[in-house]
């Protein structure tokens, strides 16, 4: 059965870097010999086998890590733990904590339809996970309300996205066609992506969801025979467009493209869905001021904890930026990131960090391994974030999942030639470790900024992920031991939420 959650995974597969699996065998860890100064707050010596793992990974860049006892914060081992690195999407763990703390686990984003005189208004409330199927239900409710009221057809149809300030993109420096760097505002649909389907010489663009996939009329596509660039964004007065080289598509292909005018995109799709319900709306227009009006229909997002769980699972950049801005109330990504940084410092985290956004996509973000490990052992453990984090399976040298008595719940972070992991690891004796492993080749990352799968990146990332697993296995072999049961707070839950459903979310990340 296809569910909205299954669809989300499918959408992600078309836009994210292919899965990379470990291929290098690793030496087994040996016991660590500790120096006389080892103790609380002092890192023990790095096991020599971990150094061998690092050498064997052949990453050609830097490797830093920190591992703490999650119960008392004791630093167990570290390597270059205070050096500043690009966090990539591990930053989303901080964003999840920040948004839940500021907005509350019960917070839901509301998309409303208002009637103000002769104008119908689609008013976004910042919902980062609104999809076409949900918009179709809203269109159905709107048409029914209008029919019941017996009002004349609206003479104007407006879209308001002012609940979240409009941003043309998440960060500069990315290739224009990359779907993980779309525009966003207070009205967002399908993570502000459209689905391009190229078949037998023809191209169609759809607002694709599980049950409804209407054409996106505001997005035009022209296929040309030119060489470079393969994708070129073409602004239009009443929409947007793409000029795409036939070389980028081949004979048959589909892919997701980012939307730069999310208000018009959502209005266009809503107009089509209302027409299917017998409600004919005028051409959509974007408004910046929301007039007073009567609410005739609405849609509520899932509670914030569900949104955060899926953001951590699928690593959706748009979700991170929207919930971060909603939490801060700031007008720009930079100001909002600074507010999140101030909040984290107030929580007592002492490690070095510098935030430029909420998703980790900006090249200006910097964190240290010590800082991320401290977040896990401190605010994340206290808030029960582990219950929202993604289980990371162990794999063999062929990349296949293997049974293991080690459990890892963590957030990954991947950019070109950056691969990080931060979260919790627990061995059979029950000791919980809070950790961060940061690997990166800054020179190659900077040289390939914004490129899509540059040469060598898949193999590099595969080796890094293998290294991360090897380091965690070495830690568990060394530090896992019988210990008093750690009281792990439950993941934050909305008090009025229904039982979780498999298809509770939709979209792509």
């Amino acid at each position: 059965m296809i569910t909205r959650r299954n669809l989300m995974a499918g959408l992600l597969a078309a836009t994210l870097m292919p899965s990379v699996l470990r291929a290098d065998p690793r030496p087994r860890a040996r016991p660590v010999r500790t120096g006389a100064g080892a103790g609380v707050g002092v890192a023990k010596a790095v096991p020599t086998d971990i150094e061998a793992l690092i050498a064997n990974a052949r990453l050609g860049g830097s490797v830093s890590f920190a591992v703490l006892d999650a119960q008392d914060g004791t630093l167990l081992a570290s390597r270059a733990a205070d050096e500043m690195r690009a966090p990539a999407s591990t930053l989303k763990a901080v964003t999840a904590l920040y948004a839940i703390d500021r907005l509350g686990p019960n917070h839901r984003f509301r998309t409303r339809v208002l009637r103000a005189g002769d104008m119908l208004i689609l008013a976004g409330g910042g919902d980062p996970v609104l999809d076409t199927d949900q918009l179709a239900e809203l269109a159905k409710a709107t048409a029914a309300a209008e029919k019941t009221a017996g009002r004349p057809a609206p003479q104007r149809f407006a879209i308001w996205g002012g609940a979240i300030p409009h941003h043309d993109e998440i960060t500069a420096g990315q290739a224009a066609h990359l779907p993980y760097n779309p525009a966003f505002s207070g009205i967002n649909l399908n993570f502000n992506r459209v689905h391009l389907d190229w078949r037998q010489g023809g191209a169609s663009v759809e607002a694709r969801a599980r049950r409804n996939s209407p054409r996106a009329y505001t997005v035009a596509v022209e296929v040309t025979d030119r060489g470079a660039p393969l994708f070129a964004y073409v602004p239009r007065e009443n929409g947007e467009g793409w000029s795409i080289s036939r070389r980028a598509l081949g004979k048959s292909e589909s892919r997701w493209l980012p939307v730069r005018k999310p208000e018009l995109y959502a209005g266009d799709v809503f107009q089509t869905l209302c027409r299917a319900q017998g409600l004919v709306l005028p051409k959509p227009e974007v408004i910046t001021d929301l007039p007073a009006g009567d609410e005739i229909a609405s849609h509520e997002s899932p509670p914030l904890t569900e949104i955060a769980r899926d953001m951590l699972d699928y690593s959706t950049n748009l979700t991170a930026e929207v919930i971060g801005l909603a939490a801060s109330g700031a007008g720009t990504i930079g100001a909002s990131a600074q507010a999140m940084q101030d909040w984290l410092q107030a929580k007592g985290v002492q490690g070095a960090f510098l935030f430029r956004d909420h998703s980790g996509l900006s090249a200006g973000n910097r964190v240290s391994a010590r800082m991320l490990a401290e977040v896990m052992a401190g605010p994340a453990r206290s808030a029960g974030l582990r219950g929202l984090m993604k289980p990371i399976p162990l794999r063999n040298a062929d990349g296949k999942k293997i049974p293991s008595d080690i459990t890892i719940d963590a957030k990954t972070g991947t950019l070109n030639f950056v691969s990080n992991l931060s979260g919790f690891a627990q061995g059979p004796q029950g000791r919980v470790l809070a950790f961060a492993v940061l690997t990166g080749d800054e020179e190659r990352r900077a040289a390939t900024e914004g490129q899509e799968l540059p040469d060598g990146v898949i193999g590099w990332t595969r080796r890094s992920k293998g290294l991360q697993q090897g380091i965690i296995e070495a830690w568990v072999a060394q530090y896992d031991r019988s210990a008093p049961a750690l009281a792990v707070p439950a993941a934050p839950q909305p008090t009025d939420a229904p039982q979780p459903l498999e298809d509770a979310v939709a979209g792509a990340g």
Side-chain angles (χ1 to χ4, degrees), residues 10-21:
L11 302 185
L12 285 164
T15 60
L16 297 181
M17 179 181 294
S19 297
V20 285
L21 308 176

Side-chain angles (χ1 to χ4, degrees), residues 404-424:
S404 175
D405 52 11
I406 299 174
T407 58
I408 303 172
D409 301 292
K411 181 69 193 81
T412 58
T414 306
L415 295 169
N416 289 342
F417 300 103
V418 171
S419 179
N420 304 327
L421 190 68
S422 181
F424 301 90

Side-chain angles (χ1 to χ4, degrees), residues 433-458:
L433 307 177
F435 72 88
V437 182
L438 309 181
T439 72
D441 187 330
E442 179 59 28
E443 183 176 344
R444 296 176 78 182
R445 186 211 61 77
T448 58
E449 178 76 23
Q451 295 181 22
E452 188 174 23
L453 295 180
D455 290 345
V457 73
I458 292 179

Side-chain angles (χ1 to χ4, degrees), residues 35-45 73-78 370:
V40 175
V42 179
K44 298 183 179 181
T74 300
L75 181 64
L76 302 174
S78 66
R370 187 190 303 272

Side-chain angles (χ1 to χ4, degrees), residues 321-396:
E321 300 305 337
V322 168
I323 67 174
L325 279 157
S328 70
T332 67
I333 293 176
S336 186
Q338 181 62 55
M340 185 169 76
Q341 182 171 319
D342 295 342
W343 169 85
L344 188 59
Q345 288 173 331
K347 290 289 183 181
V349 176
Q350 299 301 314
F353 50 96
L354 181 65
F355 299 158
R356 290 292 181 256
D357 63 17
H358 303 283
S359 61
L361 187 58
S362 170
N365 290 307
R366 288 293 182 270
V367 301
S368 67
R370 187 190 303 272
M371 168 264 174
L372 284 176
E374 287 181 356
V375 167
M376 295 303 149
R381 187 187 71 82
S382 298
L385 190 70
R386 183 182 178 188
L388 300 181
M389 300 185 89
K390 182 177 182 178
I392 306 295
L394 271 67
R395 301 180 183 275
N396 63 16

Side-chain angles (χ1 to χ4, degrees), residues 35-114:
V40 175
V42 179
K44 298 183 179 181
V46 177
T48 55
D49 280 339
I50 289 184
E51 290 299 326
L53 292 175
I54 294 171
N56 289 342
R58 308 185 312 280
L59 298 180
S62 60
V63 176
S64 62
F65 60 70
V67 57
L68 283 66
D69 184 298
Q71 186 167 19
D72 61 17
T74 300
L75 181 64
L76 302 174
S78 66
R79 183 182 198 269
D82 294 312
E83 294 185 10
M84 300 280 270
R85 314 286 192 205
S89 287
T90 58
L91 185 57
K92 292 184 176 75
V94 178
T95 301
L97 288 168
Y98 177 57
I100 291 172
D101 182 77
R102 294 296 301 271
L103 298 174
N106 292 305
H107 184 81
R108 295 173 187 260
F109 299 90
R110 295 183 70 238
T111 304
R112 300 174 295 154
V113 178
L114 309 176

